[in-house]
Amino acid sequence: MRDNRAAQRRQRWVSTGLGAGRDRAESLVAPPRRAVARPPRFFTVHLGFEAADQAAARELAVAYAEALGLLRPELALGAAALSAADAWHRAERLFCGALGPDGERCADVAGHPGFHHAPGPGGLGWGDGD
């Protein structure tokens, strides 16, 4: 088996041909063109836990999400979802998330009966109720 020298030489030739030889301090990667910082993006954390069945897993997932929401108010609970560990592509929403008249989102569990209400004590209520 041959050593890796040919590939290294090719890389050096490409670098030299593009104007970034070993003796030059120029970078081929340009600085970002955006003058301001990027807006914040959403990320997802997947937490694994054991449960007896889907209903028990849903109850635990809602409890975990609500507890984390109390500790860290910047979390987007409306995006919380539940799936089996080997089937992330079949995730189901944990919270309703229905959009209200003032732009608030319903903070109840998905599939709840009655009115929608915004998060917090005395949150705005809307929709058809019992």
Side-chain angles (χ1 to χ4, degrees), residues 2-125:
R2 294 182 60 184
D3 60 7
N4 223 3
R5 290 185 195 161
Q8 289 174 350
R9 198 170 343 158
R10 273 196 304 272
Q11 179 64 35
R12 196 173 19 213
W13 289 340
V14 169
S15 297
T16 305
L18 291 173
R22 289 186 182 265
D23 56 339
R24 298 174 75 164
E26 295 178 25
S27 172
L28 292 177
V29 179
R33 292 182 292 198
R34 187 181 298 233
V36 295
R38 288 182 173 235
R41 299 183 316 173
F42 281 103
F43 292 90
T44 302
V45 61
H46 300 271
L47 303 172
F49 60 91
E50 291 182 359
D53 58 4
Q54 183 75 12
R58 185 176 191 73
E59 291 291 325
L60 280 172
V62 167
Y64 292 152
E66 288 175 340
L68 285 172
L70 289 174
L71 293 173
R72 303 301 301 213
E74 69 271 11
L75 290 176
L77 291 185
L82 173 68
S83 68
D86 59 349
W88 289 0
H89 60 286
R90 285 189 270 154
E92 61 182 63
R93 296 178 64 112
L94 292 178
F95 297 98
C96 178
L99 189 60
D102 289 342
E104 294 284 340
R105 295 219 173 251
C106 179
D108 259 336
V109 177
H112 67 89
F115 285 104
H116 291 92
H117 68 83
L124 173 69

